[in-house]
Amino acid sequence: MNYKIFEPATQGIDERARVIRHVITTDALDRDGDVVDASGWILDEFLKNPVVLFGHRHDRPPIARCVELKKTERGLEAATQFPPEGVDPFADKVFDLHRLGFLRAWSVG
């Protein structure tokens, strides 16, 4: 299985609400020479259970949930909300690593 990874422009972090707003994909040519056409996204099924997995690991619980997702002319933008601090130590670590700039990539799979 191949995954496309995009290093996004983080649009903002609300530390109190534990929400990160970011671009998760664009129509730009990726490092494999592929383009993901934003007009092709069908999001209905995802939005029924908008969980965010770490590293596409379906065998582990989600680390966050997508609380906002919108198509733009050039891609997809998302708001990802992490659980309250202390609920999941791994999710806390991932949130902190993004907040501090050590993790910057999001993948739409």
Side-chain angles (χ1 to χ4, degrees):
M1 183 178 292
N2 293 323
Y3 300 106
K4 301 299 175 197
I5 297 176
F6 169 70
E7 191 168 321
T10 297
Q11 297 171 328
I13 299 175
D14 181 338
E15 291 187 37
R16 186 168 177 210
R18 295 174 61 87
V19 172
I20 301 173
R21 293 185 175 281
H22 46 93
V23 176
I24 59 176
T25 191
T26 71
D27 62 358
L29 191 67
D30 72 14
R31 65 178 171 227
D32 291 324
D34 296 326
V35 173
V36 177
D37 183 354
S39 67
W41 286 100
I42 300 170
L43 304 169
D44 299 340
E45 291 300 314
F46 172 73
L47 293 173
K48 291 178 183 177
N49 187 32
V51 297
V52 176
L53 304 175
F54 184 80
H56 306 281
R57 294 291 307 265
H58 295 271
D59 61 329
R60 293 187 175 175
I63 58 163
R65 65 181 169 193
C66 180
V67 293
E68 185 180 321
L69 187 61
K70 67 179 181 178
K71 292 182 187 180
T72 67
E73 267 186 36
R74 302 220 37 224
L76 285 175
E77 296 178 4
T80 301
Q81 182 180 42
F82 288 77
E85 188 172 1
V87 169
D88 179 349
F90 184 69
D92 292 345
K93 181 183 288 188
V94 173
F95 176 76
D96 286 339
L97 289 170
H98 274 286
R99 179 179 60 82
L100 296 170
F102 287 94
L103 284 176
R104 297 182 313 224
W106 298 83
S107 174
V108 297

